[in-house]
Amino acid sequence: MRTEPQTDDRRGFGVKLAAIAAAALAFGTPLVAGLIVLLDPLRRRNPSGRFLRVASLAAVPADGIPRSFPVVAERRDAWNRFAAEPIGGVFLRHMKDGQVTALNGICPHAGCFVGFDGTRDRFACPCHKSEFRPDGTRIDPERCPSPRDLDALAVEIRGAEIWVRFENFRAGTREKILA
Amino acid sequence: MRMLFDWFDDRTGIRQFVHAALYEHIPGGSRWRYVWGSTLVFTFTVQVVTGAFLWMAYSPSAQTAWESVYYIQHEMQGGWFLRGLHHYTAQAMVVLLALHMMQVVVDGAYRAPREVNFWLGLILLQLVLALSLTGYLLPWDQKGYWATQVATKLMGVVPGIGDKLQSLVVGGPNYGHHTLSRFFALHAGILPGLLIAVLVAHVALFRRHGIHARDPDPSRDSTFWPDQVLKDSVACLAVLVVILGLVARHAITGGETHARPADYLGADLGAPADASEPYPAARPEWYFLFLFQLLKYFEGDKEIYGAIVVPGVVMFAIFLMPIVGRWRLGHGFNVGLLFCLLIGVAGLTVQAMVEDRKDPRFQQAVAEAEASARRVKQLAQSPTGIPPTGAVTLLRDDPMSEGRKLFARYCAVCHSFQSDAGEGLAHAQAPSASNLHGFATRQWLSRLLDPKGVDSVDYFGATKHREGEMVSWVKENLAELDGPGRENLRKAVIALSAEAALPAQRAADAKDAKQAAEGRELIKSQLGCIDCHRFHDAGELGTAPDLTGYGSRDWLIAFVSNPGDERFYADRNDRMPAYAPHADDPHRNDLSPKQLALIVDFLRGDWYEPRPGR
């Protein structure tokens, strides 16, 4: 003879709850263990705000034409450390009055490297056709895909050398937000 | 045997299972228009099989991904074919998805009770697109690297969580090892797993509802096996033939001819990813080009509309199709919407392609990208091989590639580098210093010692030396040479050029060793060079550049390091910067010893050249 299954509602609810809780705990443990590791990148940030030597003054003729220079610094990629690797590119512009300005070479729209087109006297982004003047301002802010001008970087002249505080900013935003 | 089978059937019910699978009723008989779903299952199977074998040879890390794909493509037997199959089948899947969806919408096969299955199909579509997006990065070549950068940067525009999302997908603030391992886990594990789960549900629901036939003729009813299976199989074969044609397309069009099939058949492999190397030829796969083009229409901070809102609204409209289709006019609306979308997508794709084709700068960027891809493969196949630091160092250590770039950055501001035929570097401004193409070759020196050549812009440019002593000496003394005088000058040129020991003149230098010896004596005596120059043990330093080892590697490195040195122009140096004057403190120099050597080796044409035939 089979006995009728227990039909006491309150007891039934308790059993169901316990069953769900036990299963969730059992199956959830490996999932949570994995998620904790998956979320690790949220803790990591680029070191920024360092002044780095980019070039000597003599290497940038004082003619106001932006010239591209690599930024070389220590770079870490997960377990690897590279003592001196190119970590980005800047455009240096040495004006006739001796002033030096620096622009990050990355287009604020989607993160492509812009190029300076000397024949048309403007920066042009190869990806979505943003265009900037030699000082980094957008030529047509209304229609330019880039939401802001090229990102200017702080420059210090130390002796005969150009030092730049190299920073990357978030793409696609109107404001300059550190990436 | 039969008894054994009966026993197995009794325990498992296999007969009924197989019967249900094969003898599904098809009202109105088998039709060609039902094949699309089966071709998709077929192409997915091809991807699972080829992908599993590629997996066995692939290594996802920033220093091994490109390298292992290179090895598959160029070194492993049949590797190019396996990779080609995987690559082009992925493209075929996208096309077949579009066809399958068109067939379902046009036939109205999304209507009750098939709504849920239509939605499962949309999920499958998204999964296939996600698979191709993640797969594009895995070879870690410039093309995939920069195109995927754009895609992940766009995630950053999602309000609120954008940057966190981006960081999680990329595996850190920058692209690197963890970007590859994450993308690979998605591409080979999580996405295919999800796809299989949804596909099983999709097929099970399809079987539950039966095939959706329009106006079936009951007298022609048949079953899945064998009628429809035959049509499906023929369709799969046809798809395979198209894929094979794409894998071998360069052999069919006969555009390129190479010694080895891996060099031009199957899927492309660009130069290895380099975060510091801009890649103006970056474009997504062709079936994402419409999204790329769409982005150009959303300026400034309206980007989120092009990247997320518009595609989201379109997907939602497609999602609503089964519900809209309930109304009498709804079905017509759905079909119209789908065709408008397809026309829009096709229009944007064509527009993107036409814009690129008409853009000479893009075409040049593509040609440069192809050249550096060819070059890095030459270097990988050279006796040096690929070092443990990865193939990207091959290009960074290659005078032909990196030396050229360094020359363009540091030297081309003043110097040109162009042969008479126009080879070399394009130049934007008028050069103010010498043309260094073929520096120290016999040809270059002959023209320097020619009264008609010496004061051209190719030698002293716009420097004060153009009106200097060398120019006037050449004009005075070498204008009216007689036969023996010309012969002596020729020998002196051979001797001086031999000082450089240029790789391209190695054979000629060896052949003319005797004339060079005579020439050396002439330089020291009759010709009077040592009145100003030093040459080996004769003449003094300080008045003109030392001719000992003129144009050799050491001479050039010393010259570029400090042209104002006593050995070179001393205090007569006109504007040439000293690039490495601080021998004791290299950090203060503009050029590191390695960069200097790369520029000098580039000038001397001293780089690895593959032997013909390889």
Side-chain angles (χ1 to χ4, degrees), chain B residues 29 61 69 76 93 162 182 221 243 275 297 329 366 373 435 441 456 465 494 496 500 533 556 572 589:
Chain B
S61 90
V69 175
M76 294 179 82
M93 263 183 113
R182 275 168 193 242
D221 280 12
I243 292 168
Y297 291 100
L329 292 174
V366 170
N435 181 352
T441 57
S456 75
H465 298 291
I494 290 173
L496 189 57
H533 296 277
L556 272 168
R572 298 176 190 208
N589 293 332

Side-chain angles (χ1 to χ4, degrees), chain B residues 25-31 34 213-222:
Chain B
H25 177 69
I26 300 182
S30 64
R31 285 184 183 176
Y34 302 151
R214 285 214 294 195
D215 321 319
D217 171 5
S219 67
R220 302 187 57 182
D221 280 12
S222 87

Side-chain angles (χ1 to χ4, degrees), chain B residues 462-535:
Chain B
T463 65
K464 65 184 184 192
H465 298 291
R466 199 167 172 182
E467 277 133 29
E469 288 173 44
M470 182 71 194
V471 173
S472 46
W473 183 85
V474 169
K475 288 192 163 182
E476 279 164 30
N477 296 288
L478 303 178
E480 287 157 18
L481 288 179
D482 54 359
R486 271 203 294 277
E487 184 60 16
N488 283 347
L489 185 65
R490 198 178 66 82
K491 285 175 182 163
V493 164
I494 290 173
L496 189 57
S497 189
E499 293 286 307
L502 294 170
Q505 281 186 178
R506 209 165 283 152
D509 284 344
K511 186 167 90 48
D512 300 332
K514 200 165 147 277
Q515 299 185 45
E518 290 173 39
R520 277 196 289 277
E521 288 312 310
L522 287 164
I523 290 173
K524 285 191 211 170
S525 55
Q526 229 171 313
L527 285 173
C529 305
I530 56 165
D531 293 348
C532 303
H533 296 277
R534 183 174 172 86
F535 188 63

Side-chain angles (χ1 to χ4, degrees), chain A residues 38 41 46 56 61 67-68 70 77 79-80 82 85-86 109 113 120 124 126-127 129 143-145 170 172 174, chain B residues 63 146 153 163 167-168 171-172 174 176-177 182 276 278 280 283 292 299-301 303 359 361 396 409 413 590:
Chain A
L38 184 83
N46 269 332
S56 76
R67 291 195 170 80
S68 151
D77 177 8
W79 51 86
N80 279 135
F82 302 87
E85 274 254 311
H109 175 232
F113 257 95
R120 297 194 308 143
C127 290
K129 314 273 184 241
R143 307 198 44 210
C144 184
R170 209 179 289 167
R174 193 188 279 265
Chain B
Q63 274 108 48
W146 288 97
K153 286 258 162 77
D163 56 327
S167 181
L168 280 181
N174 305 310
H177 294 313
R182 275 168 193 242
S276 62
R283 289 293 179 268
F292 166 86
E299 294 99 19
D301 51 1
E303 182 170 40
D359 183 352
R361 281 181 301 154
R396 288 188 189 159
R409 182 178 308 136
V413 179
D590 267 308

Side-chain angles (χ1 to χ4, degrees), chain B residues 300-504:
Chain B
D301 51 1
K302 293 192 279 302
E303 182 170 40
I304 186 166
Y305 294 99
I308 292 162
V309 176
V310 171
V313 166
V314 167
M315 275 319 289
F316 189 65
I318 296 174
F319 177 82
L320 289 181
M321 276 185 178
I323 295 163
V324 174
R326 283 188 199 159
W327 285 284
R328 206 157 50 84
L329 292 174
H331 179 62
F333 173 82
N334 282 340
V335 174
L337 174 69
L338 186 72
F339 277 90
C340 287
L341 284 175
L342 286 173
I343 289 166
V345 165
L348 284 168
T349 307
V350 169
Q351 200 184 9
M353 287 176 167
V354 168
E355 275 186 24
D356 280 345
R357 190 159 298 169
K358 284 196 302 199
D359 183 352
R361 281 181 301 154
F362 178 75
Q363 294 302 330
Q364 197 202 337
V366 170
E368 280 169 14
E370 284 170 358
S372 76
R374 268 196 305 277
R375 179 62 182 166
V376 74
K377 288 170 197 169
Q378 278 179 359
L379 294 168
Q381 284 158 10
S382 75
T384 328
I386 301 175
T389 46
V392 73
T393 47
L394 285 177
L395 284 177
R396 288 188 189 159
D397 292 347
D398 176 33
M400 184 185 164
S401 319
E402 190 67 19
R404 187 189 185 85
K405 279 177 203 143
L406 290 169
F407 182 91
R409 182 178 308 136
Y410 290 99
C411 317
V413 179
C414 302
H415 289 281
S416 56
F417 187 84
Q418 238 172 10
S419 74
D420 296 338
E423 296 160 47
L425 291 167
H427 220 270
Q429 312 114 270
S432 57
S434 51
N435 181 352
L436 293 175
H437 192 275
F439 176 72
T441 57
R442 293 179 185 182
Q443 200 191 358
W444 193 90
L445 288 169
S446 306
R447 215 173 142 230
L448 171 69
L449 297 174
D450 177 348
K452 289 196 279 294
V454 67
D455 61 350
S456 75
V457 71
D458 282 342
Y459 289 96
F460 295 104
T463 65
K464 65 184 184 192
H465 298 291
R466 199 167 172 182
E467 277 133 29
E469 288 173 44
M470 182 71 194
V471 173
S472 46
W473 183 85
V474 169
K475 288 192 163 182
E476 279 164 30
N477 296 288
L478 303 178
E480 287 157 18
L481 288 179
D482 54 359
R486 271 203 294 277
E487 184 60 16
N488 283 347
L489 185 65
R490 198 178 66 82
K491 285 175 182 163
V493 164
I494 290 173
L496 189 57
S497 189
E499 293 286 307
L502 294 170

